[in-house]
Amino acid sequence: YILDDDEAVRRGFAKLLRSADLDPRCYATAEQFLSEVVDAPHRCLLLDITMPLIDGLQVQTTLNNRRINLPVIAVSARDDLETRNRARALGARMFLRKPVDDQALLDAINWVTNSTDGP
């Protein structure tokens, strides 16, 4: 899953994932994503932290409350210690700063979707 309010970012991430034979599902709003998300093996969420209305931290809280154990890779242009700590406290497995290196993102996806470690 890709959740980012920036269309160019969604398109770029989706193109990268398709080039790696992955099947991305893109969402522009947290509301749309939260209405459709299902907990499934070998899936993860690329989650923008800074979004209007419902931000990435609120999305993580909602997933936790619903007991959806989807590995989260937080991505954000806002890279400060408080944001990183809050995202990690809510269960984010990785935190990547935008712009994200393509190979680092693919490696992160591979790690979180195939890792047997708990969140």
Side-chain angles (χ1 to χ4, degrees), residues 53-73:
L53 300 180
I54 299 175
D55 69 24
L57 300 172
Q58 292 168 309
V59 169
Q60 286 184 269
T61 299
T62 301
L63 292 174
N64 291 340
N65 290 341
R66 292 183 184 176
R67 291 181 165 67
I68 296 176
N69 297 316
L70 195 61
V72 171
I73 300 171

Side-chain angles (χ1 to χ4, degrees), residues 14-80:
K15 182 178 178 181
L16 174 65
L17 271 56
R18 283 191 300 274
S19 76
D21 293 324
L22 298 172
D23 182 27
R25 294 181 186 168
C26 297
Y27 299 90
T29 68
E31 297 87 350
Q32 181 188 23
F33 168 73
L34 292 169
S35 72
E36 297 179 15
V37 65
V38 294
D39 198 354
H42 304 292
R43 289 219 174 254
C44 69
L45 170 60
L46 303 181
L47 177 62
D48 183 18
I49 295 298
T50 308
M51 295 184 294
L53 300 180
I54 299 175
D55 69 24
L57 300 172
Q58 292 168 309
V59 169
Q60 286 184 269
T61 299
T62 301
L63 292 174
N64 291 340
N65 290 341
R66 292 183 184 176
R67 291 181 165 67
I68 296 176
N69 297 316
L70 195 61
V72 171
I73 300 171
V75 291
S76 182
R78 192 168 116 198
D79 186 17
D80 59 78

